[in-house]
Coordinates of all heavy atoms in Angstrom, one line a residue:
M1 N 14.3 -13.6 0.3 CA 14.3 -14.0 -1.2 C 14.9 -13.0 -2.2 O 14.5 -11.8 -2.0 CB 12.8 -14.1 -1.6 CG 12.4 -14.5 -3.0 SD 10.7 -14.8 -3.4 CE 10.5 -16.3 -2.7
P2 N 16.0 -13.4 -3.0 CA 16.6 -12.4 -3.7 C 15.8 -12.0 -5.0 O 14.8 -12.6 -5.3 CB 17.8 -13.3 -4.3 CG 17.4 -14.9 -4.2 CD 16.3 -14.8 -3.0
N3 N 16.2 -10.8 -5.4 CA 15.5 -10.1 -6.6 C 14.1 -9.9 -6.4 O 13.3 -9.9 -7.4 CB 15.8 -11.0 -7.8 CG 17.2 -11.1 -8.0 OD1 18.0 -10.3 -8.0 ND2 17.6 -12.4 -8.4
T4 N 13.6 -9.7 -5.2 CA 12.3 -9.3 -5.0 C 12.1 -7.7 -5.0 O 13.1 -7.0 -5.0 CB 11.7 -9.7 -3.6 OG1 12.5 -9.2 -2.5 CG2 11.7 -11.3 -3.5
L5 N 10.9 -7.2 -5.1 CA 10.6 -5.8 -5.2 C 9.8 -5.5 -3.9 O 8.9 -6.1 -3.6 CB 9.7 -5.5 -6.4 CG 9.4 -4.1 -6.6 CD1 10.6 -3.2 -6.9 CD2 8.4 -4.0 -7.8
T6 N 10.4 -4.5 -3.2 CA 9.7 -4.1 -1.9 C 9.3 -2.7 -2.2 O 9.9 -1.8 -2.7 CB 10.7 -4.0 -0.7 OG1 11.3 -5.3 -0.5 CG2 10.1 -3.5 0.5
I7 N 8.0 -2.4 -1.8 CA 7.3 -1.1 -2.0 C 7.0 -0.6 -0.6 O 6.5 -1.3 0.3 CB 6.0 -1.3 -2.8 CG1 6.3 -2.0 -4.1 CG2 5.2 -0.1 -2.8 CD1 7.1 -1.1 -5.0
V8 N 7.3 0.7 -0.4 CA 6.8 1.3 0.7 C 5.9 2.4 0.3 O 6.2 3.5 -0.4 CB 8.0 2.0 1.6 CG1 7.5 2.8 2.7 CG2 9.0 0.9 1.9
A9 N 4.6 2.3 0.6 CA 3.7 3.3 0.2 C 3.2 4.2 1.4 O 2.9 3.6 2.6 CB 2.4 2.6 -0.3
S10 N 3.2 5.4 1.3 CA 2.9 6.4 2.4 C 1.6 7.2 2.1 O 1.4 7.6 1.1 CB 4.1 7.3 2.5 OG 5.3 6.7 2.8
F11 N 0.9 7.3 3.1 CA -0.5 7.9 3.0 C -0.7 8.9 4.2 O -0.3 8.7 5.4 CB -1.5 6.9 3.2 CG -1.3 5.8 2.3 CD1 -0.7 4.6 2.6 CD2 -2.0 5.6 1.0 CE1 -0.5 3.4 1.8 CE2 -1.8 4.6 0.3 CZ -1.0 3.5 0.5
T12 N -1.3 10.0 4.0 CA -1.8 11.0 4.9 C -3.2 11.3 4.7 O -3.5 11.8 3.6 CB -0.8 12.3 4.9 OG1 0.4 11.9 5.0 CG2 -1.2 13.3 6.0
A13 N -4.0 11.1 5.7 CA -5.5 11.3 5.6 C -5.8 12.7 5.9 O -5.1 13.4 6.5 CB -6.2 10.4 6.5
K14 N -6.9 13.1 5.2 CA -7.6 14.5 5.7 C -7.9 14.3 7.1 O -8.1 13.3 7.6 CB -8.7 14.8 4.6 CG -8.3 15.0 3.2 CD -9.6 15.1 2.4 CE -9.3 15.4 1.0 NZ -10.6 15.4 0.1
P15 N -8.2 15.6 7.7 CA -8.6 15.7 9.1 C -9.9 14.9 9.1 O -10.8 14.9 8.3 CB -8.8 17.2 9.3 CG -7.8 17.7 8.5 CD -7.8 17.0 7.2
G16 N -10.0 14.0 10.1 CA -11.3 13.2 10.4 C -11.4 11.9 9.5 O -12.3 11.2 9.7
Q17 N -10.4 11.7 8.7 CA -10.4 10.5 7.9 C -9.4 9.4 8.3 O -9.3 8.4 7.4 CB -10.2 11.0 6.4 CG -11.3 11.8 5.9 CD -12.6 11.1 5.7 OE1 -12.7 10.0 5.3 NE2 -13.6 11.9 6.1
G18 N -8.8 9.5 9.3 CA -7.7 8.5 9.7 C -8.3 7.1 9.9 O -7.7 6.1 9.5
Q19 N -9.4 7.0 10.4 CA -10.0 5.6 10.7 C -10.5 5.1 9.5 O -10.2 3.8 9.2 CB -11.3 5.7 11.7 CG -11.8 4.3 12.0 CD -10.8 3.5 12.8 OE1 -10.2 3.9 13.7 NE2 -10.7 2.3 12.1
R20 N -11.0 5.9 8.5 CA -11.4 5.3 7.2 C -10.2 4.9 6.5 O -10.3 3.7 5.8 CB -12.2 6.4 6.4 CG -12.7 5.8 5.1 CD -13.8 6.6 4.5 NE -14.3 5.9 3.3 CZ -14.8 6.5 2.3 NH1 -14.9 7.9 2.3 NH2 -15.1 5.9 1.1
L21 N -9.1 5.6 6.5 CA -7.8 5.2 5.9 C -7.4 3.9 6.5 O -7.1 2.9 5.7 CB -6.7 6.3 6.2 CG -5.3 6.0 5.6 CD1 -5.4 5.7 4.1 CD2 -4.3 7.0 6.0
R22 N -7.4 3.7 7.8 CA -7.0 2.4 8.4 C -7.9 1.3 7.9 O -7.3 0.3 7.5 CB -7.0 2.5 9.9 CG -5.8 3.3 10.5 CD -5.7 3.2 11.9 NE -6.8 4.0 12.6 CZ -6.9 5.2 12.8 NH1 -6.0 6.0 12.2 NH2 -8.0 5.7 13.4
D23 N -9.1 1.5 7.9 CA -10.2 0.5 7.5 C -9.9 0.1 6.0 O -9.9 -1.1 5.7 CB -11.6 1.0 7.7 CG -12.0 1.2 9.1 OD1 -11.3 0.6 10.0 OD2 -13.0 1.9 9.3
E24 N -9.8 1.1 5.1 CA -9.6 0.8 3.7 C -8.3 0.0 3.5 O -8.2 -0.9 2.6 CB -9.7 2.1 2.9 CG -11.0 2.7 2.9 CD -12.1 2.0 2.0 OE1 -11.7 1.2 1.2 OE2 -13.2 2.2 2.4
L25 N -7.2 0.4 4.1 CA -5.9 -0.2 3.9 C -5.9 -1.6 4.5 O -5.4 -2.6 4.0 CB -4.8 0.7 4.4 CG -4.6 2.0 3.7 CD1 -3.3 2.7 4.2 CD2 -4.4 1.8 2.2
D26 N -6.5 -1.8 5.6 CA -6.6 -3.0 6.3 C -7.5 -4.0 5.4 O -7.2 -5.1 5.3 CB -7.3 -2.9 7.7 CG -6.5 -2.5 8.7 OD1 -5.2 -2.4 8.6 OD2 -6.9 -2.1 9.8
A27 N -8.4 -3.5 4.7 CA -9.3 -4.4 3.8 C -8.5 -4.7 2.6 O -8.9 -5.8 1.9 CB -10.6 -3.6 3.3
M28 N -7.4 -4.2 2.2 CA -6.5 -4.6 1.2 C -5.6 -5.8 1.5 O -5.0 -6.4 0.5 CB -5.6 -3.3 0.7 CG -6.4 -2.3 0.0 SD -6.8 -2.7 -1.7 CE -5.2 -2.9 -2.5
V29 N -5.4 -6.2 2.8 CA -4.4 -7.1 3.1 C -4.8 -8.5 2.5 O -4.1 -9.1 1.7 CB -4.1 -7.1 4.5 CG1 -3.3 -8.3 5.0 CG2 -3.6 -5.8 5.1
A30 N -6.0 -9.0 2.8 CA -6.4 -10.4 2.4 C -6.5 -10.5 1.0 O -5.7 -11.5 0.5 CB -7.8 -10.7 3.1
P31 N -7.1 -9.7 0.1 CA -7.0 -10.0 -1.2 C -5.6 -9.8 -1.9 O -5.2 -10.5 -2.8 CB -8.0 -9.0 -1.9 CG -8.1 -7.9 -0.9 CD -7.9 -8.6 0.5
S32 N -4.8 -8.9 -1.3 CA -3.5 -8.8 -1.8 C -2.6 -9.9 -1.6 O -1.8 -10.4 -2.4 CB -2.8 -7.5 -1.2 OG -3.6 -6.3 -1.7
V33 N -2.5 -10.4 -0.3 CA -1.6 -11.5 0.1 C -2.1 -12.8 -0.7 O -1.3 -13.8 -1.0 CB -1.5 -11.8 1.5 CG1 -0.9 -10.7 2.2 CG2 -2.7 -12.1 2.2
A34 N -3.4 -12.9 -1.1 CA -3.9 -14.0 -1.9 C -3.4 -13.9 -3.4 O -3.5 -15.0 -4.1 CB -5.4 -14.1 -1.9
E35 N -2.9 -12.8 -3.9 CA -2.4 -12.6 -5.3 C -1.1 -13.5 -5.5 O -0.2 -13.5 -4.5 CB -2.2 -11.3 -5.6 CG -3.4 -10.4 -5.6 CD -3.0 -8.9 -5.8 OE1 -2.1 -8.7 -6.7 OE2 -3.5 -8.1 -5.2
E36 N -1.1 -14.1 -6.7 CA 0.2 -14.8 -7.0 C 1.3 -13.7 -7.2 O 1.1 -12.6 -7.7 CB 0.1 -15.5 -8.3 CG 1.3 -16.4 -8.8 CD 1.0 -17.1 -10.0 OE1 -0.2 -17.3 -10.2 OE2 2.0 -17.4 -10.6
G37 N 2.4 -14.0 -6.4 CA 3.5 -13.1 -6.6 C 3.6 -12.1 -5.4 O 4.6 -11.3 -5.2
C38 N 2.5 -12.1 -4.5 CA 2.6 -11.2 -3.2 C 3.3 -12.1 -2.3 O 2.8 -13.0 -1.8 CB 1.2 -10.8 -2.9 SG 1.3 -9.7 -1.4
I39 N 4.4 -11.5 -1.7 CA 5.1 -12.2 -0.7 C 4.8 -11.6 0.7 O 4.7 -12.3 1.7 CB 6.7 -12.1 -0.9 CG1 7.0 -12.8 -2.2 CG2 7.5 -12.7 0.2 CD1 8.4 -12.4 -2.8
G40 N 4.5 -10.3 0.7 CA 4.1 -9.6 2.0 C 3.4 -8.4 1.7 O 3.6 -7.8 0.7
Y41 N 2.5 -8.1 2.6 CA 1.7 -6.9 2.5 C 1.2 -6.5 3.9 O 0.2 -7.1 4.5 CB 0.4 -7.2 1.6 CG -0.2 -6.0 1.0 CD1 0.2 -5.6 -0.2 CD2 -1.3 -5.3 1.7 CE1 -0.5 -4.4 -0.8 CE2 -1.8 -4.2 1.1 CZ -1.5 -3.8 -0.1 OH -2.1 -2.7 -0.7
Q42 N 1.8 -5.5 4.5 CA 1.6 -5.1 6.0 C 1.4 -3.6 6.1 O 2.3 -2.9 5.8 CB 2.7 -5.7 6.8 CG 2.6 -5.3 8.2 CD 1.5 -6.1 8.9 OE1 1.4 -7.2 8.7 NE2 0.7 -5.4 9.6
P43 N 0.3 -3.2 6.6 CA 0.1 -1.7 6.9 C 0.6 -1.5 8.3 O 0.7 -2.3 9.2 CB -1.5 -1.5 6.8 CG -2.1 -2.9 7.0 CD -1.1 -3.9 6.6
F44 N 1.1 -0.2 8.6 CA 1.7 0.3 9.8 C 1.0 1.6 9.9 O 0.8 2.4 8.9 CB 3.1 0.4 9.8 CG 3.7 -1.1 9.7 CD1 4.2 -1.6 8.5 CD2 4.1 -1.8 10.9 CE1 4.7 -2.7 8.4 CE2 4.7 -3.0 10.7 CZ 5.0 -3.4 9.5
T45 N 0.8 2.1 11.1 CA 0.4 3.4 11.6 C 1.5 4.1 12.3 O 2.2 3.4 13.1 CB -1.0 3.5 12.2 OG1 -1.4 4.8 12.2 CG2 -1.0 2.8 13.5
D46 N 1.5 5.4 12.2 CA 2.3 6.1 13.1 C 1.6 6.5 14.4 O 0.6 7.2 14.5 CB 2.7 7.5 12.4 CG 3.7 8.4 13.2 OD1 3.8 8.3 14.4 OD2 4.3 9.2 12.6
P47 N 2.0 6.0 15.6 CA 1.2 6.2 16.9 C 1.1 7.6 17.2 O 0.2 8.0 18.0 CB 2.1 5.3 17.9 CG 3.3 5.0 17.3 CD 3.2 5.2 15.9
S48 N 2.0 8.4 16.8 CA 1.9 9.9 17.1 C 1.1 10.7 16.1 O 1.0 11.8 16.4 CB 3.4 10.5 17.3 OG 4.2 10.4 16.1
R49 N 1.0 10.1 15.0 CA 0.2 10.8 13.9 C -0.8 9.8 13.2 O -0.5 9.1 12.2 CB 1.2 11.3 12.8 CG 2.1 12.4 13.2 CD 1.4 13.8 13.2 NE 0.6 14.1 12.1 CZ 1.0 14.7 10.8 NH1 2.2 15.2 10.8 NH2 0.1 14.9 10.0
P50 N -2.0 9.5 13.9 CA -2.8 8.5 13.4 C -3.4 8.8 12.1 O -4.1 7.9 11.5 CB -4.0 8.4 14.5 CG -3.8 9.7 15.3 CD -2.4 10.2 15.2
D51 N -3.2 9.9 11.5 CA -3.6 10.3 10.2 C -2.7 9.7 9.2 O -2.9 9.8 7.9 CB -3.8 11.8 10.0 CG -2.6 12.6 10.2 OD1 -1.8 12.1 11.1 OD2 -2.4 13.6 9.6
R52 N -1.5 9.2 9.5 CA -0.5 8.7 8.6 C -0.3 7.2 8.8 O -0.3 6.6 9.8 CB 0.8 9.4 9.0 CG 0.9 10.8 8.6 CD 2.2 11.4 8.7 NE 2.3 12.8 8.3 CZ 3.3 13.5 8.4 NH1 4.5 13.1 8.7 NH2 3.2 14.8 7.9
M53 N -0.1 6.7 7.6 CA 0.1 5.2 7.5 C 1.1 5.0 6.4 O 1.2 5.6 5.5 CB -1.2 4.4 7.3 CG -2.2 4.4 8.4 SD -3.6 3.3 8.1 CE -2.8 1.7 8.2
I54 N 1.7 3.7 6.5 CA 2.5 3.2 5.4 C 2.0 1.7 5.2 O 1.5 1.1 6.1 CB 4.0 3.3 5.6 CG1 4.4 2.4 6.8 CG2 4.5 4.7 5.7 CD1 6.0 2.3 6.8
I55 N 2.4 1.2 4.0 CA 2.2 -0.2 3.7 C 3.5 -0.6 3.2 O 4.1 0.1 2.4 CB 1.1 -0.5 2.6 CG1 -0.3 -0.1 3.3 CG2 1.1 -1.9 2.3 CD1 -1.4 -0.5 2.3
V56 N 4.1 -1.7 3.8 CA 5.3 -2.3 3.3 C 4.9 -3.5 2.5 O 4.1 -4.4 3.1 CB 6.3 -2.6 4.3 CG1 7.5 -3.2 3.9 CG2 6.7 -1.3 5.2
E57 N 5.1 -3.6 1.2 CA 4.8 -4.8 0.4 C 6.0 -5.4 -0.2 O 7.1 -4.8 -0.5 CB 4.0 -4.2 -0.8 CG 2.8 -3.3 -0.4 CD 2.1 -2.7 -1.7 OE1 2.1 -3.2 -2.8 OE2 1.7 -1.6 -1.6
E58 N 5.9 -6.7 -0.4 CA 7.0 -7.3 -1.1 C 6.4 -8.2 -2.1 O 5.4 -8.9 -1.9 CB 7.9 -8.2 -0.1 CG 9.1 -8.7 -0.8 CD 10.0 -9.5 0.1 OE1 9.7 -9.7 1.3 OE2 11.1 -9.8 -0.3
W59 N 6.9 -8.1 -3.5 CA 6.5 -8.7 -4.6 C 7.6 -9.6 -5.2 O 8.7 -9.1 -5.2 CB 6.0 -7.6 -5.6 CG 4.8 -7.0 -5.0 CD1 4.7 -5.8 -4.3 CD2 3.4 -7.4 -5.0 NE1 3.5 -5.5 -3.8 CE2 2.6 -6.5 -4.3 CE3 2.8 -8.5 -5.6 CZ2 1.2 -6.6 -4.1 CZ3 1.4 -8.6 -5.4 CH2 0.7 -7.6 -4.6
A60 N 7.2 -10.6 -5.9 CA 8.2 -11.5 -6.6 C 8.7 -10.8 -7.7 O 9.9 -11.2 -8.1 CB 7.6 -12.8 -6.9
S61 N 8.0 -9.9 -8.3 CA 8.5 -9.3 -9.6 C 7.7 -8.0 -9.8 O 6.7 -7.8 -9.3 CB 8.4 -10.2 -10.8 OG 7.1 -10.4 -10.9
S62 N 8.3 -7.1 -10.7 CA 7.5 -6.0 -11.3 C 6.2 -6.4 -11.9 O 5.3 -5.6 -11.8 CB 8.4 -5.2 -12.2 OG 9.5 -4.6 -11.5
A63 N 6.3 -7.5 -12.6 CA 5.1 -8.0 -13.3 C 3.9 -8.3 -12.4 O 2.8 -7.9 -12.4 CB 5.3 -9.2 -14.1
A64 N 4.3 -8.8 -11.1 CA 3.3 -9.2 -10.2 C 2.7 -7.8 -9.6 O 1.5 -7.8 -9.3 CB 3.9 -10.0 -8.9
L65 N 3.5 -7.0 -9.3 CA 3.1 -5.5 -8.8 C 2.2 -4.9 -9.9 O 1.1 -4.4 -9.4 CB 4.3 -4.7 -8.5 CG 3.9 -3.3 -8.0 CD1 3.1 -3.4 -6.7 CD2 5.1 -2.5 -7.8
G66 N 2.5 -5.0 -11.0 CA 1.8 -4.4 -12.1 C 0.4 -5.1 -12.2 O -0.7 -4.4 -12.4
H67 N 0.3 -6.3 -12.1 CA -0.9 -7.1 -12.1 C -1.8 -6.6 -10.8 O -3.0 -6.4 -11.0 CB -0.7 -8.5 -12.0 CG -1.9 -9.4 -12.1 ND1 -2.7 -9.4 -13.2 CD2 -2.6 -10.2 -11.0 CE1 -3.9 -10.1 -12.9 NE2 -3.7 -10.7 -11.6
H68 N -1.2 -6.4 -9.8 CA -1.9 -6.0 -8.5 C -2.6 -4.7 -8.8 O -3.8 -4.4 -8.5 CB -0.9 -5.7 -7.4 CG -1.4 -5.1 -6.2 ND1 -2.2 -5.6 -5.3 CD2 -1.0 -3.9 -5.6 CE1 -2.5 -4.8 -4.4 NE2 -1.6 -3.7 -4.4
F69 N -1.9 -3.8 -9.5 CA -2.4 -2.4 -9.8 C -3.7 -2.5 -10.7 O -4.4 -1.6 -10.7 CB -1.5 -1.5 -10.4 CG -0.3 -1.1 -9.6 CD1 0.9 -0.8 -10.0 CD2 -0.5 -1.0 -8.1 CE1 2.0 -0.3 -9.2 CE2 0.5 -0.5 -7.4 CZ 1.8 -0.2 -7.9
S70 N -3.9 -3.6 -11.4 CA -5.0 -3.8 -12.4 C -6.2 -4.4 -11.9 O -7.2 -4.5 -12.5 CB -4.5 -4.6 -13.5 OG -4.4 -6.1 -13.2
L71 N -6.1 -5.0 -10.5 CA -7.2 -5.7 -10.0 C -8.3 -4.8 -9.3 O -7.9 -3.6 -8.9 CB -6.6 -6.7 -9.0 CG -5.7 -7.8 -9.6 CD1 -5.1 -8.6 -8.4 CD2 -6.5 -8.7 -10.5
P72 N -9.6 -5.4 -9.2 CA -10.6 -4.4 -8.7 C -10.4 -4.0 -7.2 O -10.8 -2.8 -7.1 CB -11.9 -5.5 -8.7 CG -11.5 -6.4 -9.8 CD -9.9 -6.5 -9.7
H73 N -9.8 -4.7 -6.4 CA -9.6 -4.2 -5.0 C -8.6 -3.1 -4.9 O -8.8 -2.1 -4.2 CB -9.2 -5.3 -4.0 CG -8.0 -6.1 -4.4 ND1 -7.9 -7.2 -5.2 CD2 -6.7 -5.9 -3.9 CE1 -6.7 -7.7 -5.4 NE2 -5.9 -6.9 -4.5
F74 N -7.6 -3.0 -5.8 CA -6.7 -1.9 -5.9 C -7.4 -0.8 -6.5 O -7.3 0.4 -6.0 CB -5.4 -2.3 -6.7 CG -4.5 -1.1 -6.7 CD1 -3.6 -0.9 -5.6 CD2 -4.6 0.0 -7.7 CE1 -2.7 0.2 -5.6 CE2 -3.7 0.9 -7.8 CZ -2.8 1.2 -6.7
K75 N -8.2 -0.9 -7.6 CA -8.9 0.1 -8.2 C -9.9 0.8 -7.2 O -10.1 2.0 -7.3 CB -9.5 -0.3 -9.4 CG -8.6 -0.6 -10.6 CD -9.3 -1.1 -11.8 CE -8.2 -1.4 -13.0 NZ -8.9 -1.7 -14.2
H76 N -10.6 0.0 -6.5 CA -11.4 0.5 -5.5 C -10.7 1.4 -4.5 O -11.2 2.5 -4.2 CB -12.2 -0.6 -4.7 CG -12.9 -0.1 -3.5 ND1 -14.2 0.4 -3.7 CD2 -12.6 -0.3 -2.2 CE1 -14.6 0.9 -2.5 NE2 -13.6 0.4 -1.6
V77 N -9.8 1.0 -3.9 CA -9.0 1.6 -2.8 C -8.5 2.9 -3.5 O -8.4 4.0 -2.8 CB -8.1 0.8 -2.0 CG1 -6.7 0.7 -2.8 CG2 -7.8 1.4 -0.7
A78 N -7.9 2.8 -4.7 CA -7.4 4.1 -5.3 C -8.4 5.1 -5.4 O -8.2 6.3 -5.1 CB -6.7 3.7 -6.6
Q79 N -9.7 4.7 -5.7 CA -10.7 5.7 -5.9 C -11.1 6.3 -4.5 O -11.3 7.6 -4.4 CB -11.9 5.0 -6.4 CG -13.1 5.9 -6.8 CD -14.3 5.3 -7.5 OE1 -14.3 4.1 -7.4 NE2 -15.1 6.1 -8.0
V80 N -11.2 5.5 -3.5 CA -11.4 5.9 -2.2 C -10.4 6.9 -1.7 O -10.5 8.0 -1.1 CB -11.6 4.8 -1.1 CG1 -11.7 5.2 0.4 CG2 -12.8 3.9 -1.5
L81 N -9.0 6.6 -1.9 CA -7.9 7.3 -1.5 C -8.0 8.7 -2.0 O -7.6 9.7 -1.4 CB -6.6 6.7 -1.8 CG -6.2 5.3 -1.0 CD1 -5.0 4.6 -1.4 CD2 -6.3 5.6 0.6
D82 N -8.5 8.8 -3.2 CA -8.6 10.2 -3.9 C -9.5 11.1 -3.1 O -9.3 12.2 -3.0 CB -9.2 10.0 -5.3 CG -8.1 9.5 -6.4 OD1 -7.0 9.7 -6.0 OD2 -8.6 9.2 -7.4
E83 N -10.5 10.5 -2.4 CA -11.4 11.2 -1.6 C -10.9 11.5 -0.2 O -11.2 12.6 0.4 CB -12.6 10.5 -1.5 CG -13.4 10.1 -2.7 CD -14.6 9.1 -2.6 OE1 -15.0 9.0 -1.3 OE2 -15.0 8.5 -3.4
I84 N -10.1 10.7 0.4 CA -9.7 10.8 1.8 C -8.3 11.3 2.1 O -8.1 11.6 3.3 CB -10.1 9.5 2.6 CG1 -9.2 8.3 2.2 CG2 -11.5 9.1 2.5 CD1 -9.4 7.1 3.1
L85 N -7.5 11.3 1.1 CA -6.1 11.6 1.4 C -5.9 13.2 1.3 O -6.5 13.9 0.5 CB -5.1 11.0 0.4 CG -4.9 9.5 0.6 CD1 -4.0 9.0 -0.5 CD2 -4.8 9.1 1.9
A86 N -5.0 13.8 2.2 CA -4.7 15.1 2.3 C -3.8 15.5 1.1 O -3.7 16.6 0.8 CB -4.1 15.5 3.6
E87 N -3.1 14.5 0.6 CA -2.0 14.7 -0.5 C -2.0 13.4 -1.2 O -2.2 12.4 -0.6 CB -0.7 15.1 0.1 CG -0.2 14.2 1.1 CD 0.9 14.8 2.1 OE1 0.9 15.9 2.4 OE2 1.9 14.0 2.2
P88 N -1.5 13.3 -2.4 CA -1.2 12.0 -3.0 C -0.3 11.1 -2.3 O 0.6 11.5 -1.7 CB -0.8 12.5 -4.4 CG -1.0 13.9 -4.7 CD -1.1 14.5 -3.2
F89 N -0.7 9.9 -2.3 CA 0.2 8.9 -1.7 C 1.5 8.7 -2.6 O 1.6 9.1 -3.7 CB -0.5 7.6 -1.4 CG -0.7 6.8 -2.7 CD1 0.1 5.8 -3.2 CD2 -2.1 6.8 -3.3 CE1 -0.1 5.0 -4.3 CE2 -2.4 6.1 -4.4 CZ -1.4 5.1 -4.9
T90 N 2.5 8.3 -1.8 CA 3.8 8.1 -2.6 C 4.2 6.6 -2.5 O 3.9 5.9 -1.5 CB 5.0 8.8 -1.9 OG1 5.1 8.4 -0.5 CG2 4.7 10.4 -1.8
L91 N 4.9 6.2 -3.5 CA 5.4 4.8 -3.6 C 6.9 4.9 -3.8 O 7.5 5.6 -4.7 CB 4.8 4.1 -4.8 CG 3.5 3.7 -4.8 CD1 3.1 3.0 -6.3 CD2 3.1 2.8 -3.7
R92 N 7.7 4.2 -2.8 CA 9.0 4.0 -3.0 C 9.4 2.5 -3.3 O 8.9 1.6 -2.7 CB 9.8 4.3 -1.7 CG 9.6 5.8 -1.4 CD 10.4 6.2 -0.1 NE 11.8 6.1 -0.5 CZ 12.7 6.0 0.5 NH1 12.4 6.1 1.8 NH2 14.0 5.8 0.3
R93 N 10.0 2.3 -4.5 CA 10.3 1.0 -4.9 C 11.8 0.7 -4.6 O 12.8 1.5 -4.9 CB 10.3 0.9 -6.5 CG 8.9 1.0 -7.0 CD 8.8 1.1 -8.5 NE 7.5 1.3 -8.8 CZ 6.8 0.5 -9.7 NH1 7.4 -0.5 -10.2 NH2 5.5 0.7 -10.1
L94 N 12.0 -0.4 -3.8 CA 13.3 -0.9 -3.3 C 13.6 -2.2 -3.7 O 12.7 -3.0 -3.9 CB 13.2 -0.8 -1.7 CG 12.8 0.5 -1.0 CD1 12.7 0.2 0.4 CD2 13.7 1.7 -1.4
T95 N 14.9 -2.4 -4.1 CA 15.4 -3.8 -4.5 C 16.5 -4.3 -3.5 O 17.0 -3.4 -2.8 CB 15.7 -3.7 -6.0 OG1 16.8 -2.8 -6.1 CG2 14.6 -3.4 -6.9
D96 N 16.7 -5.5 -3.7 CA 17.8 -6.1 -2.9 C 19.2 -5.4 -3.4 O 19.3 -5.0 -4.5 CB 18.0 -7.5 -3.2 CG 16.8 -8.3 -2.7 OD1 16.1 -7.8 -1.7 OD2 16.4 -9.4 -3.2
I97 N 20.0 -5.3 -2.4 CA 21.4 -4.8 -2.6 C 22.1 -6.0 -3.3 O 22.2 -7.1 -2.9 CB 22.2 -4.4 -1.4 CG1 21.4 -3.2 -0.7 CG2 23.5 -4.1 -1.7 CD1 21.8 -2.8 0.7
P98 N 22.8 -5.7 -4.4 CA 23.5 -6.7 -5.2 C 24.7 -7.2 -4.4 O 25.3 -6.4 -3.7 CB 24.0 -6.1 -6.5 CG 23.3 -4.8 -6.5 CD 22.8 -4.4 -5.3
D99 N 25.1 -8.5 -4.5 CA 26.2 -8.9 -3.7 C 27.5 -8.4 -4.3 O 27.7 -8.0 -5.4 CB 26.4 -10.6 -4.1 CG 25.2 -11.2 -3.3 OD1 24.7 -10.8 -2.4 OD2 24.9 -12.4 -3.9

């Protein structure tokens, strides 16, 4: 789909918090994909570093992503992440390569 916005969010859990990180990020999938403008939302884990995860998201627009950030399920996970992450998560915003 042209002109979409792809997000790669990276997370590193504190020691002993890897499973909670996986659980919290997995719980974000269903409500996120139900949002208007969400094209894809998939968490991945690093098999050699189970304390590290990424989520690859695809959104129809920046407005749809902005709306996602305002919803209760995002606000909840952001609060939990503050407690369980070893460092702040990072977001990389990617767009399609123009023709």
Side-chain angles (χ1 to χ4, degrees):
M1 179 176 282
N3 301 318
T4 61
L5 178 64
T6 300
I7 300 295
V8 179
S10 300
F11 308 88
T12 303
K14 290 178 182 174
Q17 295 293 321
Q19 185 60 52
R20 185 163 182 211
L21 176 62
R22 286 188 294 282
D23 293 345
E24 293 290 340
L25 296 182
D26 284 344
M28 288 289 292
V29 175
S32 297
V33 298
E35 293 175 43
E36 185 173 336
C38 181
I39 298 165
Y41 199 93
Q42 180 65 50
F44 296 91
T45 190
D46 181 338
S48 65
R49 293 282 313 269
D51 61 326
R52 291 191 178 178
M53 290 189 69
I54 64 165
I55 293 181
V56 178
E57 310 171 26
E58 188 172 9
W59 296 91
S61 66
S62 291
L65 177 61
H67 180 68
H68 170 68
F69 291 150
S70 74
L71 295 174
H73 59 274
F74 181 84
K75 290 181 179 182
H76 166 77
V77 81
Q79 185 176 17
V80 171
L81 293 175
D82 282 343
E83 299 170 16
I84 67 172
L85 292 183
E87 57 196 42
F89 68 90
T90 61
L91 291 178
R92 294 184 65 198
R93 293 174 184 237
L94 309 171
T95 57
D96 296 330
I97 297 173
D99 292 335

